[in-house]
Amino acid sequence: MELRVPSRNAPVIADVDVCVAGGGPAGLGAALAAAREGASVCLLERHGFLGGNFTAASVGTICGLYVASDGGFDYVTRGIAEEVAHALQTAGAAAGPVPFKGSAVLLYVPWAAKRLFDRLVAEEPAVTLFLHALVADVVRDGDRLDAVIVATKRGPQAVRARAFVDATGDADLIVHAGAPWTMGDPGQRQFASMQFFLQHVDTAALVAAGPDALTKAIAEHGEHLSRDSGALLPTFRPGEVIGAMTRVRAPDGGPLDVTDVAQATFGELEGRRLAEEAAAFVVGHVPGCAEAFLADTAPVLGVRETRRAVGEYVLTGDDVSGLARFDDAVAAGAWPREYHVVGRGTEYVALPAGGWYQIPFRALRPGGLANVFVAGRCLSADHDALASTRVMAPSMAIGQAAGTAAALHGRGELAVDALQASLTAHGAFLG
């Protein structure tokens, strides 16, 4: 059964050079980059705060910042990603690099990231931010977008722009525009997770027990849990850790499709149930946690994979593992291919030691749309490449490239050499 929805006029609430849809790591990188390139920018975010998985999913670790080098770690995602990392560390709200799976992560405080992103956007006078602005449709004119329609309490409203960045995580602009996209079957899609916060933890005892204490406890007593491994991540606030221990499945046991409102609703409820179960397990079986309690879950599920664009080039898992180089490179990555796909386990496919791959500009250009660029999980990549590029630091670096490209496009100056020169001038590492 279908109902015909009456047509309505949508007031134009912004008319800018660049519209960035989605305020997660990729969208933040895109908006800041476009503004610093001289464009007027409108940034749209569906939540009441910026950060996406950085904040709303409370991941607790920034993955993909580093590449192993001479017994230590160097930044492979520089530019805005490095700027964010340094700002958090300077504020005492991040620590690292912490070695992990041949690479390293940066532990951080989600609250501190939330306020940092507020400030970064507020300090850019060329950026107009609209929170609580859910992308609902687009207006397309031939091979170009003319406007994004957002759902608000006052009904549909429009943002017009000369160029657009789809950083929605779910390729919403691409889908609404009728451009090519894919999601993959359930066997080719990653599971979501729900993070949770434990307080009143004896963190000294937890650290003394070592990182294997949780894995050992799960192996001995946790066969009922949704994952066979996980982590308890210090937030640097006394007695508090973030639990990363859940795998949220759809009712049929497969990965969720959170673009379906029924599955998204089920996933949020199931995620909180699994978080409660995992927290109770930690309190009962992990050293230093006997007096702890579940304080809260993340505001939303942490989603790893849904829809993505099919662009001028589709980055592949072989490109990632083969440390591919491209003449039109606009970003680099070095995170292993990380899979949350089968059973209760997590699989990591390491890159060659000290190696990194490049991401081509063509993978940021969706098919059939001349003035739209994609970033973050929307990248034109296959399932295996996305297993590496989807994490937060490369998403931010790709966002910086997309935002810069959109700004150059808006003033008729987009060429690969000009884009690469601008990115390099603003501190990005291209290889």
Side-chain angles (χ1 to χ4, degrees):
M1 178 179 175
E2 293 184 345
L3 295 176
R4 185 170 184 81
V5 178
S7 61
R8 301 175 64 180
N9 291 330
V12 176
I13 55 174
D15 191 338
V16 293
D17 296 321
V18 176
C19 175
V20 178
L28 181 75
L32 294 177
R36 294 171 184 180
E37 188 57 41
S40 58
V41 181
C42 183
L43 176 57
L44 305 172
E45 169 53 43
R46 66 189 177 107
H47 295 303
F49 51 89
L50 296 166
N53 280 349
F54 223 118
T55 53
S58 301
V59 171
T61 56
I62 306 175
C63 301
L65 281 168
Y66 306 109
V67 62
S69 176
D70 297 326
F73 297 96
D74 291 332
Y75 282 93
V76 71
T77 51
R78 293 189 176 274
I80 292 171
E82 184 179 8
E83 176 185 343
V84 166
H86 280 174
L88 290 170
Q89 288 177 303
T90 300
V98 177
F100 182 79
K101 300 295 182 182
S103 183
V105 300
L106 185 74
L107 301 174
Y108 72 94
V109 183
W111 162 252
K114 187 182 293 185
R115 286 296 294 133
L116 171 63
F117 299 158
D118 288 347
R119 291 191 292 272
L120 286 173
V121 170
E123 289 166 2
E124 294 290 346
V127 177
T128 298
L129 172 64
F130 291 121
L131 301 174
H132 302 290
L134 175 67
V135 171
D137 208 342
V138 301
V139 177
R140 179 173 177 170
D141 182 8
D143 67 349
R144 302 177 64 82
L145 289 195
D146 179 58
V148 171
I149 307 301
V150 293
T152 77
K153 291 285 188 179
R154 294 187 175 184
Q157 297 184 316
V159 174
R160 301 187 69 184
R162 266 55 74 197
F164 298 82
V165 176
D166 190 336
T168 61
D170 302 314
D172 292 343
L173 299 192
I174 302 305
V175 173
H176 289 309
W181 62 277
T182 186
M183 184 158 62
D185 60 38
Q188 287 281 297
R189 206 157 67 238
Q190 300 226 23
F191 288 100
S193 293
M194 177 66 83
Q195 306 289 79
F196 59 90
F197 291 84
L198 284 175
Q199 293 181 349
H200 212 264
V201 175
D202 182 343
T203 51
L206 178 63
V207 171
D212 294 333
L214 176 60
T215 302
K216 180 180 178 183
I218 294 174
E220 293 177 351
H221 307 288
E223 66 278 354
H224 63 290
L225 296 178
S226 60
R227 280 177 64 179
D228 65 6
S229 62
L232 297 172
L233 309 168
T235 67
F236 315 106
R237 293 184 286 197
E240 184 178 76
V241 299
I242 296 174
M245 293 177 56
T246 63
R247 174 155 299 168
V248 185
R249 296 171 172 81
D252 65 2
L256 291 163
D257 175 4
V258 296
T259 68
D260 177 274
V261 67
Q263 288 199 39
T265 300
F266 175 87
E268 299 288 356
L269 299 175
E270 177 69 356
R272 287 191 284 274
R273 184 189 72 79
L274 293 174
E276 188 173 48
E277 175 185 77
F281 175 86
V282 170
V283 170
H285 296 284
V286 178
C289 298
E291 302 300 321
F293 62 91
L294 175 62
D296 204 352
T297 60
V300 299
L301 282 172
V303 177
R304 295 183 171 90
E305 183 175 1
T306 58
R307 305 180 300 210
R308 54 192 184 272
V310 177
E312 294 179 4
Y313 184 85
V314 178
L315 190 72
T316 69
D318 287 342
D319 289 334
V320 168
S321 292
L323 309 181
R325 299 293 190 263
F326 299 96
D327 291 340
D328 61 340
V330 291
W335 188 248
R337 287 159 48 188
E338 176 187 345
Y339 295 94
H340 298 252
V341 177
V342 179
R344 298 167 64 229
T346 304
E347 178 186 0
Y348 294 86
V349 179
L351 275 60
W356 46 269
Y357 59 88
Q358 292 178 319
I359 297 163
F361 178 48
R362 288 165 291 159
L364 279 61
R365 305 211 68 166
L369 294 171
N371 66 336
V372 180
F373 307 90
V374 294
R377 297 201 321 263
C378 305
L379 184 72
S380 177
D382 70 11
H383 169 75
D384 295 305
L386 193 73
S388 173
T389 65
R390 64 172 176 78
V391 297
M392 292 194 295
S395 288
M396 194 168 288
I398 297 166
Q400 181 173 353
T404 304
L408 293 173
H409 177 92
R411 62 175 187 254
E413 299 177 5
L414 179 57
V416 170
D417 57 351
L419 172 59
Q420 291 172 326
S422 178
L423 288 168
T424 301
H426 285 91
F429 173 72
L430 309 186

